[in-house]
Structure formats: structure tokens, C-alpha cells
Amino acid sequence: MIIICPQCQARNTLDDEMFSQITEAMPCENCGGKLPVRLGEIHRKSKMSSGDLEVPAGKSAKKRVLIADDTYYFREVISDKLKALDIEVLCAEDGEETLQVVKREMPNLDLLILDLKMPKIHGAKVLNEIRAGAMGKNLKILCTSAVHNKADEVRALRELGADGFITKEAALEDFITRVKKLLGLEVE
């Protein structure tokens, strides 16, 4: 079972055995806040599969995306489009900040949109570091660039663990369609 923290929106995992043994509130793994784990504080589904997400009353299970790009305009345009789809957006403007945000927010990120040409740490190195860690193995990563788009470069990104690549010259709607597919959202 996954319980969303009402304070920080972090996803906390509890197996059924842990849940059945709880007698008082548990702290959130991320912020230490009180998790709604007592009966009556959480809605439980009658037939829960391993992929089901339990959400406290009044909360939604929004997808969370980190946009890592040093271009302010790019971050804002993509962020506005994603927010219009009810997707929570975080931003980072260099490779170092990207790694800090991923470490802080995992496992509560669903997708990283990663520019390759960024200051401090190159996007390919960021990708490599994320994939080297256990928490980053399940994070979807869509790489993007205006300059790196040759077939051999894209192939190398796939070998490093990227889930996709799209050039910044792509039409905005094509870009958003790729993001929706990686998030498992309905595509019109």
C-alpha cells in the first residue's frame, strides 16, 4: 500500500502486514509528518493490486515531473503545459541541482525531462549517476537537446538508460505527447 503524506505529498510504502500492525500514526519517510494510517483516515480499496495507489481523502495522486534545463523559457513553456494537465512540476537549472532534487524527491518522481547540455554537470553524466543508484532505476527519463540529436548519440543515451529522446526542435504538442506516453497518460 502507498500512502500519500498530507504535508509534503511524498509516497510512503507499507506492506499489508505492516499496515495491520499499526496502532498509532506513523511518520512520513520524507518530512516526518503524521501519515493518515488509522482506519477511517484512509480509504482502502476492497481488492487492491500491487499497482494501486491509496490516497487520503481530499488528496489526488498527481504525476510528478522534474524539468532539468538551463533555459528559463523552455522550463516555463513545458511547465505551463504540464500544469494544465494537472501534473505537478519541479524544475532544476543545472546538472548539480538536478541530482540534488532527484535524491531528495525519489521515489516520488514519475519522470525526469533532462536537457543534455547543462552547466555544472552534463546531462549524460546526470543520467549515468541516476541509473547507477538503486532509487533511480524506476524513474522514467526523457532526454532532450537542441544540439545532440545524431543517431549514434541517441543510441548511446539509450545504452545509458534513457527511456527516450526528443529534440527541442520538435513541435510542442509532439513533445507533450511523448511526456504523456512516458507517464502512462491517455493520448488523444
Side-chain angles (χ1 to χ4, degrees):
M1 169 184 296
I2 297 175
I3 301 174
I4 306 293
C5 174
Q7 285 86 16
C8 70
Q9 302 302 306
R11 296 175 186 170
N12 292 262
T13 305
L14 294 172
D15 61 31
D16 285 341
E17 185 177 325
M18 284 175 68
F19 185 83
S20 66
Q21 296 174 1
I22 295 171
T23 58
E24 58 186 67
M26 287 186 57
C28 171
E29 296 168 2
N30 187 50
C31 72
K34 179 181 167 185
L35 292 178
V37 293
R38 284 178 261 159
L39 295 177
E41 288 186 274
I42 191 167
H43 295 299
R44 294 191 71 189
K45 293 181 180 176
S46 57
K47 293 182 181 176
M48 194 171 79
S49 70
S50 61
D52 286 340
L53 181 68
E54 294 297 325
V55 182
K59 298 292 178 186
S60 64
K62 284 186 177 183
K63 297 288 187 180
R64 298 182 82 216
V65 174
L66 170 59
I67 302 171
D69 197 292
D70 60 323
T71 307
Y72 173 80
Y73 179 73
F74 180 82
R75 287 192 316 266
E76 288 302 303
V77 168
I78 301 301
S79 178
D80 287 348
K81 280 288 195 181
L82 296 179
K83 286 177 182 176
L85 297 170
D86 201 30
I87 295 170
E88 186 178 339
V89 177
L90 301 146
C91 292
E93 57 187 59
D94 62 56
E96 190 175 280
E97 183 182 9
T98 301
L99 288 173
Q100 290 171 356
V101 173
V102 168
K103 287 175 186 171
R104 182 182 70 231
E105 297 294 330
M106 283 306 293
N108 302 316
L109 287 174
D110 298 296
L111 174 66
L112 167 59
I113 299 172
L114 179 63
D115 183 26
L116 294 176
K117 192 167 169 51
M118 285 196 299
K120 296 189 181 177
I121 303 175
H122 189 273
K125 184 168 179 166
V126 171
L127 171 63
N128 196 35
E129 282 198 41
I130 290 170
R131 288 302 189 225
M135 290 182 80
K137 294 203 184 305
N138 295 323
L139 177 63
K140 298 273 189 215
I141 301 177
L142 176 62
C143 291
T144 184
S145 180
V147 294
H148 299 282
N149 58 14
K150 296 182 179 114
D152 58 331
E153 293 172 326
V154 173
R155 197 170 22 260
L157 291 170
R158 290 251 186 223
E159 289 171 7
L160 285 174
D163 295 289
F165 175 85
I166 190 164
T167 179
K168 286 185 178 179
E169 280 76 37
L172 182 57
E173 291 310 313
D174 292 340
F175 196 98
I176 298 303
T177 297
R178 287 289 295 280
V179 168
K180 288 167 82 174
K181 284 181 182 178
L182 284 169
L183 290 172
L185 300 175
E186 188 175 316
V187 178
E188 292 95 35

